[in-house]
Amino acid sequence: MPTFSAYDGTELAHHVIGGSKGAPPVVCLPGGPMQASVYLGDLGGLAAHRPLVTADLRGTGESAVPADTASYRCDRLVDDVEALREHLGLDAMDLLAHSGGTNLALLYAARHPERVRRLALITPSLAAAGIAVPGTVRRETALLREGEPFFPAAFAALEAVVAGRGTAESWQAMAPFAYGRWDARAQAHHAAEDEQRNDEAAAVYGSEGAYDPDALRAALARFRAPVLLLAGEVDLNSPPSAVAELAALFPHAELVVQSGAAHFPWLDDPERFAATTAAFLA
């Protein structure tokens, strides 16, 4: 397992998965937020096309816990991504991020635009850009799955969350909505989340001061590299209409909506996900 030292001396880990010899890597930032990168797997076979460098952010996975827990804040993690790029010896890199990790990728792209060759945002979080998802949009997206066995309990939990009455049990009951198929593989993937996520770090990640949406939007308007935004058709977390708003902030962005997919599209249709993402990164 390769490691390197961050700016403050924290030992950080990354994992190299697959890829053909000599091909440049794709640096992958996990979501959660602050979840170990193991949940990304080989991204539905994307590693057969390009080597993946999956980062364990500080305090997660095989990376060390920092002395200063305030350094878990998203804007401060940008320096860790830059340290990883330097460690890999890349002048510019293809950067892929999932869910909450896309906030970090956006802040990195805004601060170091010349270091990003291509940017792939997979079912992205919208927090850093200040894009809100109305409860009505989440309900409409959920209703696309009305005929599925889990729907009554999951939809009741969603209604409670949208109304501000959500509990930990409500969020747990909504878990099937995160996957295009709530099968044994999806259930095992979800069950592993608690052990993979650093809850203390997650609470700091998007805390006060982490994001400046106006400044980020201005920076993204000047970002010249190609951007892929991949949304899941039935993803409540990042509905296609909201991801389209994020896409509109870039001069050169392509929005792809993966049919039947939810928040983890590489699990829902691995071949389609890998083909779409590999073609963009080629």
Side-chain angles (χ1 to χ4, degrees):
M1 176 197 62
T3 62
F4 63 100
S5 292
Y7 62 92
D8 60 354
T10 303
E11 197 75 3
L12 302 180
H14 64 282
H15 309 268
V16 181
I17 305 170
S20 57
K21 186 176 181 180
V26 179
V27 175
C28 304
L29 305 180
M34 302 306 285
Q35 186 171 343
S37 64
V38 64
Y39 84 93
L40 295 172
D42 70 350
L43 285 172
L46 182 61
H49 300 267
R50 294 277 296 279
L52 307 180
V53 174
T54 59
D56 282 343
L57 302 179
R58 55 178 54 214
T60 72
E62 303 297 330
S63 289
V65 172
D68 178 13
T69 56
S71 66
Y72 288 137
R73 207 173 72 177
C74 186
D75 58 321
R76 295 186 61 179
L77 294 175
V78 169
D79 289 334
D80 289 351
V81 180
E82 177 63 357
L84 175 57
R85 181 197 63 78
E86 292 176 348
H87 169 74
L88 295 172
L90 299 173
D91 181 60
M93 60 184 171
D94 289 336
L95 186 61
L96 179 150
H98 172 243
S99 188
T102 61
N103 295 309
L104 176 55
L106 290 172
L107 296 189
Y108 181 85
R111 196 180 303 177
H112 301 286
E114 74 286 356
R115 300 302 187 184
V116 181
R117 192 179 79 95
R118 289 180 180 270
L119 179 62
L121 305 174
I122 310 303
T123 56
S125 169
L126 307 159
I131 297 172
V133 181
T136 53
V137 172
R138 298 195 199 275
R139 290 181 77 259
E140 289 167 3
T141 306
L143 286 168
L144 296 174
R145 309 185 69 179
E146 192 169 7
E148 300 195 42
F150 66 79
F151 182 83
F155 191 74
L158 173 63
E159 292 278 55
V161 168
V162 169
R165 298 181 282 101
T167 63
E169 290 74 20
S170 302
W171 287 100
Q172 186 65 27
M174 287 170 55
F177 281 131
Y179 298 87
R181 293 185 306 277
W182 187 235
D183 55 14
R185 183 182 184 188
Q187 291 170 38
H189 189 265
H190 174 69
E193 282 186 4
D194 287 343
E195 292 186 358
Q196 295 168 355
R197 187 177 56 247
N198 182 332
D199 289 332
E200 177 188 11
V204 177
Y205 185 81
S207 58
E208 185 177 357
Y211 306 135
D212 182 343
D214 290 339
L216 178 62
R217 286 168 175 251
L220 298 184
R222 299 188 297 270
F223 186 69
R224 310 309 300 176
V227 183
L228 169 69
L229 297 99
L230 194 149
E233 179 189 19
V234 293
D235 183 11
L236 302 193
N237 185 79
S238 312
S241 60
V243 177
E245 289 187 49
L246 180 60
L249 301 179
F250 294 95
H252 307 291
E254 173 188 5
L255 172 65
V256 173
V257 179
Q258 186 170 311
S259 177
H263 201 54
F264 304 93
W266 65 90
L267 294 178
D268 299 328
D269 189 341
E271 291 185 4
R272 182 172 182 186
F273 174 83
T276 299
T277 309
F280 169 75
L281 294 169

